[in-house]
Structure formats: C-alpha cells, structure tokens
C-alpha cells in the first residue's frame, strides 16, 4: 500500500533530462503523485501490511531462481549480469532488498513522486548501493529508454492507476522493456469495494492497522481512498490483464487481506 495518489494513468509531461547524482528528472511539471510523503511511507508501510517483509523475501527468491537459471543457460559466454527494471521505485524497498542480496545486479528505478524518489535515494545511498542504481523521476509511459531488462518489479503500484485500459497500458509498457522470458513480480490491492467479501477483508485489515499503532483517522483516510485515488480490480481480472499484456506462467505468490502478489514471465514469442 503506497501513499501516492493519482487520478490519471501512467501519463506524464516529459522535459529535458536533468541529472542530480544518480537521479534523472524526466518530468518538468508537478504530478498528482507529488502529494506522496516518502519519509512517512517508509516509516509506516510495514505496520500497515501484514507480511510486508515476507512479500519482498518471496519476490527475491522467485527472481533469483529465474535469473540464476538464465545466467547459466544464456549468459555464460558473455558474463553479463542481470539488469532489473523497478516500476514504482519510491521508498527503495525492492532495490534495497535485491541489491543487498545480489552484488552483481544493477537497477533502473522509475518513480513519479519526487519525495518518494528522494526517500529511495537516501536509503540506497546509506546502504552503499547507488553505484549500481539509476533512478528516474518519471512514469514509464514517458520514459525514453530503449533498453531491454532481464526482470522487472511493480510492487504495490497498479491499484493507483485508474481504469482497466490504463492498467493494461502500464503492463504492456513493462513487457515492452523486458527480454523474452524475463520474469515480472507484481503486487496490488485487489477486490470489489462494497461487496461482502471486500467488507470482511477490510474489517480485518482495519483491526490489524489499529493494533499496530495506525491512528483511526489515518485508517479512515485510507478506507475512503478507494474509488478516489485507489482503483482496485478483482484478482481474476488482474491475471487477465497480465495475459493480455503478453505474460505467461502467471502464478500467485503472496496474499494478505486485499493484497495479492503474482509472478509471471514475458512470453518467448513476444517482441
């Protein structure tokens, strides 16, 4: 669950690239995503999501299993190390986890919120990882890179994208930047607000958050965000989107209340 907000899809105005350290600023106008508070997000997220660390542990093992196999089979002669694309890199959790576990991996992280990106940069700098990381202040649709990556992550992002077609466009943009056979790990809030199943899960989630020190008014802000800044789809529909975007071998690896996580592989016959 992210504190970012957006009523639009992955669209952004793109200006000239300006480098500040390892952060490339590719958006010259403020986005609704800028409402995010990166420091607050990093401090609170593990109290809000049960199994938050486990989600990233599982992501790590799944990507490791796939990429280690690919390295042995396809890259033995070239001695190339995996390059990973992180969509929604604000906070830095994915890169921090994978970067510390895999000294040979390098990362490109995309994030439309400047404050979230700054939080990621600070955490990665403190961990000594910035020399293997390139951070970009942009959404993927506006990103001009033509590089193809060996794996991608899109964790706790897709529910912020409004509309099925916009979610599909984002997934297709990710697929277009992956090598055939490359894995994607994705998680998002899923479900149909207002249904009995949703109400049962949301009631349990509320008790979890309040029991972990989240204030009632903060919970209410979160609950009221659905349909305004957060736009979940049913889990079955998310799997259909992955298929339509060109992914195969889709399987679920995480679940906590309304959050689901999947791993999928870009189809070998996809360009």
């Amino acid at each position: 669950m992210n504190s970012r907000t957006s009523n639009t899809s992955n669209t952004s105005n793109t200006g000239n690239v300006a480098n500040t350290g390892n952060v490339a600023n590719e958006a010259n106008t403020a986005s609704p995503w800028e409402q995010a508070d990166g420091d607050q997000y990093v401090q609170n997220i593990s109290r809000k999501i049960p199994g938050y660390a486990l989600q990233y542990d599982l992501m790590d093992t799944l990507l490791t299993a796939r990429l280690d196999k690919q390295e042995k089979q396809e890259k033995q002669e070239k001695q190339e190390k995996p390059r990973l694309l992180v969509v929604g890199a604000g906070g830095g959790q994915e890169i921090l986890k994978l970067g510390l576990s895999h000294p040979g991996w390098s990362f490109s992280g995309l994030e439309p919120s400047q404050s979230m990106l700054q939080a990621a940069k600070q955490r990665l700098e403190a961990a000594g990882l910035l020399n293997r990381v390139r951070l970009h202040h942009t959404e993927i649709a506006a990103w001009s890179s033509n590089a193809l990556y060996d794996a991608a992550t899109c964790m706790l992002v897709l529910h912020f994208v409004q509309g099925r077609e916009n979610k599909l466009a984002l997934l297709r943009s990710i697929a277009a930047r992956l090598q055939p056979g490359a894995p994607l790990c994705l998680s998002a809030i899923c479900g149909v607000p207002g249904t009995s199943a949703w109400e049962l899960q949301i009631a349990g989630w509320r008790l979890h958050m309040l029991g972990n020190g989240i204030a009632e008014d903060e919970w209410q802000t979160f609950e009221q965000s659905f349909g305004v800044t957060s736009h979940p789809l049913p889990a079955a529909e998310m799997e259909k989107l992955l298929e339509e975007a060109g992914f195969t071998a889709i399987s679920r690896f995480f679940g906590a209340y309304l959050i689901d996580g999947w791993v999928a592989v870009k189809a070998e016959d996809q360009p």
Side-chain angles (χ1 to χ4, degrees), residues 93-222:
Q93 185 64 29
E94 297 93 321
I95 299 175
L96 191 66
K97 175 64 179 178
L98 297 171
L100 290 174
S101 299
H102 306 279
W105 293 9
S106 62
F107 306 87
S108 289
L110 311 184
E111 173 58 51
S113 164
Q114 185 65 62
S115 65
M116 292 289 289
L117 199 67
Q118 187 61 32
K121 184 183 178 189
Q122 290 173 354
R123 294 182 77 195
L124 298 174
E125 186 173 26
L129 296 175
L130 276 184
N131 63 320
R132 292 188 280 128
V133 178
R134 182 71 170 166
L135 297 174
H136 302 266
H137 180 212
T138 186
E139 297 183 7
I140 191 169
W143 193 35
S144 58
S145 174
N146 294 320
L148 292 180
Y149 289 82
D150 300 293
T153 67
C154 184
M155 306 291 284
L156 301 174
V157 170
L158 209 60
H159 49 272
F160 291 109
V161 178
Q162 184 175 13
R164 186 185 192 280
E165 290 307 310
N166 292 327
K167 295 180 196 295
L168 178 58
L170 188 148
L171 291 173
R172 283 175 170 164
S173 292
I174 295 174
R177 289 168 171 83
L178 290 176
Q179 302 277 5
L184 165 68
C185 280
L186 174 148
S187 65
I189 296 175
C190 300
V192 181
T195 62
S196 57
W198 175 278
E199 294 302 329
L200 176 59
Q201 292 289 329
I202 208 77
W205 201 351
R206 174 181 176 273
L207 293 179
H208 173 85
M209 285 200 199
L210 297 182
N212 279 277
I214 301 301
E216 177 69 34
D217 60 347
E218 188 173 352
W219 162 259
Q220 290 179 5
T221 298
F222 166 64

